[in-house]
């Protein structure tokens, strides 16, 4: 048997009085976190929810996320974490698609009325029986009326529930979590991840990063996403570390928390590192933030080489880059422990995981050639929930096709070239946006860049760069195009440049190129 809740339970037995989670001004010890999760498990059991049942959770990075997450697991049920930015219709889709029996939803705020959207979505789904509204107050009055008419607050539901609970028996191959893909093509699909997938990946993260018991993680990545969930929450609690939760990332706030809590471990996506470097802070504050930092990890998208260099210069720590997807729990590759990071590389396969590069027909590509990344190992999902055809399209003999293109050097280090779907074909030539973005980031006037292909009558596709200019630097579109012409091959430099104050991103900070392409197609240029 194996239950992912052991990540918390084992540490609560070993270090009950150690701080497990810091959320705002509130700190929960391991014993308190475990006891609160037990109350959630008892609540679910009292409502007839148990092994195999699906339970959805919409919650930002606050203490209630791990409390409810592990409570669901203890009950033997399956956690279905949902993006907190979803609207009513999208929430209803996810609840129905996952066959959720219950739904825990954070109340949100005036700017993000998550509770209202969640309640409305819940009421559109017949099979979802129980709705629990998570309120922001640390100790709300259980007798207070529900903020949303008809909705039951979690505080009221937990009133009187025991803090003791024996975790239900689940097998290693049972589904623990269903993580929904971002839906870049078609409707989002739920990746079924087993207790073994999630537990082994968390322990592999701990081993790969070289984390220690007294590490302090700053978690700005959303916990509903596989990156923050496995790499920091599950791995961090298994390592008996302290997790500092930040509900919404902003660079100044993150740097302040790093100094105040003596953070040793930070993980983020490239746009987060970009924001940290561009934040206008004093040298004293920068020194305080960097003083204890010893591990910095990046994933979710390719990290520009220039960001590597700037971060090391300012914070004295090399960023170690990794790679993974929701379908791989997520970690598949990472910079090996003890090895110097190679800017631009996602490292090598982690323990127990195989990675290969293939052509469209599943045959391996020759050394030095670009191929699609395929992954096999303890981390690969069971399949997409309720979608055997979609599963069969990407799985063969245990191998999972990622849709990402990469190359491999003579030492076995892997380098992501681009998403297969992002590749631009201009006049018959393959152009990889990642390569162009690397070059653009080296220009002193460019703070951030995203390159996409746009329709073109003669060439099939033309290359367009969306650029966020660096503060205080002036440059025209024509000047940047001219520089690109001098710097890049004639078939690949961007002929079109558009300056923007910001670029569209999802909740994890990944640039949404599909929105840029859609916008361009709609506007016609």
């Amino acid at each position: 048997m194996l239950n992912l809740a052991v990540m918390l339970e084992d540490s609560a037995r070993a270090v009950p009085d150690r701080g497990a989670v810091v959320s705002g001004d509130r700190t929960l010890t391991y014993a308190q976190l475990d006891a609160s999760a037990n109350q959630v498990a008892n609540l679910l059991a009292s409502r007839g929810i148990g092994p195999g049942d699906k339970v959805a959770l919409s919650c930002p990075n606050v203490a209630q996320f791990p409390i409810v997450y592990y409570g669901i697991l203890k009950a033997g049920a399956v956690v279905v974490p949902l993006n907190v930015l979803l609207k009513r219709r999208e929430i209803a889709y996810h609840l129905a698609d996952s066959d959720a029996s219950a739904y825990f939803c954070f109340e949100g705020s005036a700017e993000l009325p998550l509770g209202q959207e969640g309640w409305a979505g819940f009421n559109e789904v017949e099979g979802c029986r129980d709705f629990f509204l998570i309120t922001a107050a640390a100790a709300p009055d259980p007798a207070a009326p529900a903020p949303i008419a008809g909705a039951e607050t979690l505080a009221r539901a937990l009133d009187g529930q025991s803090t003791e609970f024996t975790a239900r028996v689940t097998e290693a191959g049972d589904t623990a979590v269903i993580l929904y893909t971002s839906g870049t093509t078609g409707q989002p699909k739920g990746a079924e991840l087993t207790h073994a997938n999630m537990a082994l990946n968390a322990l592999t993260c701990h081993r790969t990063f070289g984390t220690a018991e007294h590490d302090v993680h700053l978690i700005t990545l959303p916990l509903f996403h596989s990156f923050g969930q496995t790499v920091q929450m599950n791995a961090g609690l298994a390592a008996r570390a302290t997790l500092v939760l930040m509900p919404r990332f902003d660079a100044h706030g993150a740097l302040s928390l790093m100094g105040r809590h003596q953070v040793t471990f930070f993980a983020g996506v490239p746009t987060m590192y970009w924001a940290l470097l561009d934040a206008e802070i004093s040298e004293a504050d920068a020194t305080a933030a960097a003083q204890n930092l010893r591990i910095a990890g990046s994933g979710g998208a390719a990290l520009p080489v220039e960001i590597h260099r700037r971060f090391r210069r300012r914070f004295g720590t090399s960023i170690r880059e990794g790679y993974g997807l929701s379908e791989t729990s997520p970690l598949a590759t990472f910079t090996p422990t003890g090895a110097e990071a190679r800017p631009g590389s996602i490292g090598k396969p982690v323990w127990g995981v195989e990675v290969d590069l293939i052509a469209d027909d599943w045959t391996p590509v020759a050394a030095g050639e670009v191929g699609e990344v395929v992954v096999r190992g303890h981390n690969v999902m069971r399949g997409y929930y309720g979608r055997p055809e979609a599963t069969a399209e990407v799985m063969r003999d245990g191998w999972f096709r990622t849709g990402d293109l990469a190359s491999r050097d003579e030492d076995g280090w892997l380098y992501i070239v681009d998403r297969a779907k992002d590749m631009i074909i201009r006049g018959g030539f393959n152009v990889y946006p990642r390569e162009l973005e690397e070059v653009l980031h080296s220009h002193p006037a460019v703070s951030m860049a995203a390159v996409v292909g746009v329709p073109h009558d003669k060439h099939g596709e033309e290359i367009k760069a969306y650029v966020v200019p660096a503060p205080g630097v002036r440059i025209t579109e024509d000047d940047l195009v001219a520089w690109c012409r001098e710097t890049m091959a004639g078939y690949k430099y961007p002929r079109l440049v558009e300056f923007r104050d910001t670029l569209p991103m999802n909740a994890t900070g990944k640039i949404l190129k599909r929105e840029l392409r859609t916008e361009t197609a709609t506007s016609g240029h």
Side-chain angles (χ1 to χ4, degrees):
M1 64 163 286
L2 177 65
N3 190 308
L4 180 59
V6 74
M7 301 290 105
L8 169 61
E9 292 184 340
D10 181 74
S11 296
R13 285 189 293 267
V15 289
D17 299 325
R18 179 176 297 165
V21 170
V22 178
S23 180
D25 296 329
R26 181 187 185 194
T27 299
L28 290 177
T29 66
Y30 273 91
Q32 290 170 331
L33 181 60
D34 191 53
S36 295
N38 286 339
Q39 287 187 297
V40 172
N42 278 308
L43 167 63
L44 292 173
S46 73
R47 302 295 174 94
I49 295 170
D53 290 326
K54 318 301 187 301
V55 180
L57 170 61
S58 293
C59 189
N61 290 10
V62 293
Q64 289 93 336
F65 188 101
I67 288 171
V68 174
Y69 182 93
Y70 290 109
I72 296 170
L73 292 170
K74 284 169 178 280
V78 178
V79 189
V80 185
L82 302 184
N83 189 319
V84 298
L85 300 181
L86 297 180
K87 301 295 186 181
R88 171 193 57 78
R89 179 188 58 80
E90 298 163 316
I91 291 169
Y93 166 80
H94 284 79
L95 295 178
D97 189 75
S98 65
D99 296 315
S101 299
Y103 180 30
F104 291 84
C105 183
F106 189 72
E107 64 182 352
S109 62
E111 297 78 22
L112 185 67
L114 179 56
Q116 294 174 9
E117 297 284 349
W119 178 241
F122 164 78
N123 282 304
E124 292 185 11
V125 182
E126 292 184 4
C128 198
R129 304 187 305 271
D130 291 291
F131 179 92
F132 304 105
L133 185 70
I134 302 171
T135 53
D141 180 6
I148 298 174
E152 182 178 16
T153 65
L154 179 59
R156 179 179 296 171
L158 292 180
D159 188 33
Q161 295 291 345
S162 172
T163 58
E164 299 292 330
F165 188 87
T166 300
R168 297 285 188 254
V169 173
T170 53
E171 299 300 326
D174 291 342
T175 302
V177 178
I178 295 178
L179 290 177
Y180 274 83
T181 62
S182 56
T184 53
T185 56
Q187 291 278 39
K189 301 182 291 291
E192 286 193 79
L193 300 167
T194 67
H195 290 272
N197 287 153
M198 297 292 284
L200 283 172
N201 205 244
L203 294 175
T204 299
C205 289
H206 174 34
R207 168 184 177 145
T208 303
F209 301 142
T211 50
E213 281 201 14
H214 294 287
D215 271 321
V216 179
H217 294 235
L218 175 59
I219 305 184
T220 61
L221 294 159
L223 290 173
F224 61 74
H225 189 270
S226 59
F227 193 171
Q229 193 177 130
T230 294
V231 174
Q232 290 198 278
M233 184 179 76
N234 287 333
L237 293 179
R240 302 169 187 173
T242 298
L243 313 181
V244 179
L245 305 183
M246 187 175 191
R248 184 175 181 179
F249 174 80
D250 78 84
H252 285 92
L255 291 166
S256 175
L257 288 172
M258 289 168 71
R260 188 189 320 160
H261 294 285
Q262 300 179 336
V263 168
T264 62
F265 186 116
F266 179 80
V269 296
T271 53
M272 290 180 177
Y273 284 103
W274 167 80
L276 292 176
L277 287 168
D278 275 17
E280 295 182 1
I281 59 172
S282 67
E283 284 303 313
D285 288 341
T287 300
Q291 188 169 7
N292 296 282
L293 188 67
R294 65 183 191 85
I295 302 173
S298 179
L303 184 72
V305 174
E306 187 61 24
I307 298 295
H308 269 282
R309 294 172 180 152
R310 288 179 60 197
F311 192 84
R312 185 180 181 105
R313 283 198 302 267
R314 186 166 198 188
F315 293 97
T317 302
S318 291
I319 301 172
R320 295 168 63 191
E321 200 166 354
Y323 168 79
L325 307 94
S326 295
E327 292 91 337
T328 61
S329 303
L331 194 67
T333 73
F334 201 71
T335 304
T337 303
E340 185 68 24
R342 298 188 183 185
S345 174
I346 57 171
K348 296 182 177 183
V350 297
W351 178 86
V353 174
E354 298 175 77
V355 174
D356 207 350
L357 305 178
I358 63 167
D360 286 343
D361 61 359
W362 287 86
T363 58
V365 301
E369 291 187 2
V370 172
E372 182 179 349
V373 179
V374 289
V375 180
R376 181 168 67 178
H378 58 70
N379 58 336
V380 174
M381 66 174 181
R382 292 179 63 177
Y384 293 118
Y385 183 69
R387 287 182 169 81
E389 295 84 4
T391 301
E393 288 178 7
V394 297
M395 299 281 286
R396 179 184 293 185
D397 299 327
W399 289 99
F400 169 71
R401 295 187 74 144
T402 66
D404 290 317
L405 301 175
S407 62
R408 182 164 36 204
D409 67 19
E410 63 277 7
D411 297 325
W413 289 64
L414 291 153
Y415 298 79
I416 292 292
V417 175
D418 233 311
R419 286 289 296 173
K421 294 180 177 64
D422 286 343
M423 186 177 70
I424 302 167
I425 303 178
R426 183 186 186 277
F429 289 95
N430 292 348
V431 178
Y432 300 109
R434 162 78 196 278
E435 178 189 356
L436 276 58
E437 289 159 2
E438 286 283 0
V439 178
L440 283 165
H441 281 119
S442 70
H443 193 289
V446 175
S447 179
M448 187 187 300
V451 174
V452 301
V454 298
H456 191 273
D457 292 339
K458 180 180 178 181
H459 302 299
E461 285 186 289
E462 190 53 272
I463 301 161
K464 181 172 184 177
Y466 290 87
V467 173
V468 176
V473 181
R474 295 183 62 83
I475 187 172
T476 67
E477 296 172 8
D478 289 343
D479 287 343
L480 189 55
V481 169
W483 180 84
C484 290
R485 185 187 302 115
E486 295 295 321
T487 312
M488 308 176 196
Y491 70 92
K492 67 172 64 170
Y493 75 86
R495 268 71 170 175
L496 304 171
V497 171
E498 182 175 330
F499 291 111
R500 293 284 187 88
D501 292 333
T502 60
L503 297 177
M505 300 180 193
N506 65 12
T508 62
K510 184 184 292 187
I511 296 173
L512 296 174
K513 291 187 177 182
R514 68 178 183 273
E515 288 196 9
L516 295 174
R517 284 191 290 265
T518 300
E519 180 183 316
T520 299
T522 303
S523 64
H525 59 276

Short mmCIF file of all heavy atoms in Angstrom, two decimals, residues 82-87 90-91 112 114 224 505-508:
data_model
loop_
_atom_site.label_atom_id
_atom_site.label_comp_id
_atom_site.label_asym_id
_atom_site.label_seq_id
_atom_site.Cartn_x
_atom_site.Cartn_y
_atom_site.Cartn_z
N LEU A 82 -7.81 22.76 -9.03
CA LEU A 82 -8.27 23.59 -10.14
C LEU A 82 -7.59 24.95 -10.12
O LEU A 82 -7.34 25.51 -9.04
CB LEU A 82 -9.79 23.79 -10.09
CG LEU A 82 -10.65 22.52 -10.13
CD1 LEU A 82 -12.13 22.90 -10.16
CD2 LEU A 82 -10.30 21.64 -11.32
N ASN A 83 -7.34 25.48 -11.29
CA ASN A 83 -6.77 26.80 -11.45
C ASN A 83 -7.71 27.83 -10.83
O ASN A 83 -8.91 27.85 -11.11
CB ASN A 83 -6.60 27.08 -12.95
CG ASN A 83 -5.82 28.34 -13.25
OD1 ASN A 83 -5.99 29.36 -12.59
ND2 ASN A 83 -4.99 28.28 -14.27
N VAL A 84 -7.18 28.72 -10.00
CA VAL A 84 -8.03 29.69 -9.30
C VAL A 84 -8.55 30.79 -10.22
O VAL A 84 -9.40 31.57 -9.81
CB VAL A 84 -7.27 30.33 -8.10
CG1 VAL A 84 -6.89 29.28 -7.08
CG2 VAL A 84 -6.05 31.11 -8.58
N LEU A 85 -8.07 30.84 -11.45
CA LEU A 85 -8.53 31.87 -12.38
C LEU A 85 -9.72 31.40 -13.22
O LEU A 85 -10.25 32.16 -14.03
CB LEU A 85 -7.39 32.30 -13.30
CG LEU A 85 -6.16 32.90 -12.62
CD1 LEU A 85 -5.12 33.28 -13.67
CD2 LEU A 85 -6.53 34.10 -11.77
N LEU A 86 -10.16 30.15 -13.03
CA LEU A 86 -11.27 29.64 -13.82
C LEU A 86 -12.57 30.37 -13.51
O LEU A 86 -12.80 30.80 -12.38
CB LEU A 86 -11.46 28.14 -13.56
CG LEU A 86 -10.31 27.20 -13.95
CD1 LEU A 86 -10.68 25.77 -13.61
CD2 LEU A 86 -9.96 27.33 -15.42
N LYS A 87 -13.41 30.48 -14.52
CA LYS A 87 -14.73 31.09 -14.37
C LYS A 87 -15.80 30.00 -14.24
O LYS A 87 -15.52 28.82 -14.37
CB LYS A 87 -15.03 31.99 -15.58
CG LYS A 87 -14.03 33.11 -15.78
CD LYS A 87 -14.06 34.11 -14.64
CE LYS A 87 -13.16 35.30 -14.93
NZ LYS A 87 -13.17 36.28 -13.81
N GLU A 90 -16.05 27.22 -16.84
CA GLU A 90 -14.87 26.36 -16.82
C GLU A 90 -14.85 25.48 -15.58
O GLU A 90 -14.47 24.29 -15.64
CB GLU A 90 -13.62 27.22 -16.88
CG GLU A 90 -13.51 28.06 -18.15
CD GLU A 90 -12.51 29.19 -18.03
OE1 GLU A 90 -12.50 29.88 -16.99
OE2 GLU A 90 -11.73 29.39 -18.98
N ILE A 91 -15.27 26.03 -14.45
CA ILE A 91 -15.33 25.24 -13.22
C ILE A 91 -16.33 24.10 -13.37
O ILE A 91 -16.05 22.95 -13.01
CB ILE A 91 -15.70 26.14 -12.02
CG1 ILE A 91 -14.54 27.10 -11.70
CG2 ILE A 91 -16.06 25.30 -10.79
CD1 ILE A 91 -14.88 28.20 -10.73
N LEU A 112 -11.06 39.00 -7.43
CA LEU A 112 -11.11 37.62 -7.91
C LEU A 112 -12.19 36.88 -7.11
O LEU A 112 -11.89 36.18 -6.14
CB LEU A 112 -9.75 36.95 -7.73
CG LEU A 112 -9.61 35.53 -8.28
CD1 LEU A 112 -9.70 35.54 -9.81
CD2 LEU A 112 -8.28 34.91 -7.84
N LEU A 114 -13.64 34.21 -6.55
CA LEU A 114 -13.56 32.77 -6.80
C LEU A 114 -14.74 32.02 -6.19
O LEU A 114 -15.30 31.10 -6.80
CB LEU A 114 -12.24 32.23 -6.26
CG LEU A 114 -11.97 30.73 -6.39
CD1 LEU A 114 -12.07 30.28 -7.84
CD2 LEU A 114 -10.59 30.39 -5.82
N PHE A 224 -1.87 24.63 -7.14
CA PHE A 224 -2.75 23.79 -7.96
C PHE A 224 -2.01 23.24 -9.17
O PHE A 224 -2.48 22.34 -9.85
CB PHE A 224 -3.99 24.57 -8.41
CG PHE A 224 -3.72 25.79 -9.26
CD1 PHE A 224 -3.31 25.68 -10.58
CD2 PHE A 224 -3.87 27.06 -8.72
CE1 PHE A 224 -3.06 26.81 -11.35
CE2 PHE A 224 -3.63 28.20 -9.49
CZ PHE A 224 -3.22 28.07 -10.80
N MET A 505 0.16 36.00 -19.84
CA MET A 505 0.71 34.85 -19.12
C MET A 505 -0.40 34.07 -18.45
O MET A 505 -1.46 34.62 -18.14
CB MET A 505 1.72 35.30 -18.05
CG MET A 505 2.91 36.07 -18.58
SD MET A 505 4.02 36.56 -17.23
CE MET A 505 5.05 37.75 -18.08
N ASN A 506 -0.15 32.78 -18.20
CA ASN A 506 -1.10 32.00 -17.42
C ASN A 506 -0.79 32.14 -15.95
O ASN A 506 0.09 32.92 -15.54
CB ASN A 506 -1.11 30.53 -17.87
CG ASN A 506 0.21 29.82 -17.59
OD1 ASN A 506 1.08 30.33 -16.88
ND2 ASN A 506 0.36 28.63 -18.14
N ALA A 507 -1.50 31.39 -15.10
CA ALA A 507 -1.35 31.56 -13.66
C ALA A 507 0.03 31.17 -13.15
O ALA A 507 0.44 31.61 -12.07
CB ALA A 507 -2.41 30.72 -12.93
N THR A 508 0.77 30.37 -13.91
CA THR A 508 2.10 29.97 -13.48
C THR A 508 3.19 30.90 -14.01
O THR A 508 4.37 30.69 -13.73
CB THR A 508 2.43 28.53 -13.92
OG1 THR A 508 2.40 28.47 -15.34
CG2 THR A 508 1.43 27.55 -13.35
#
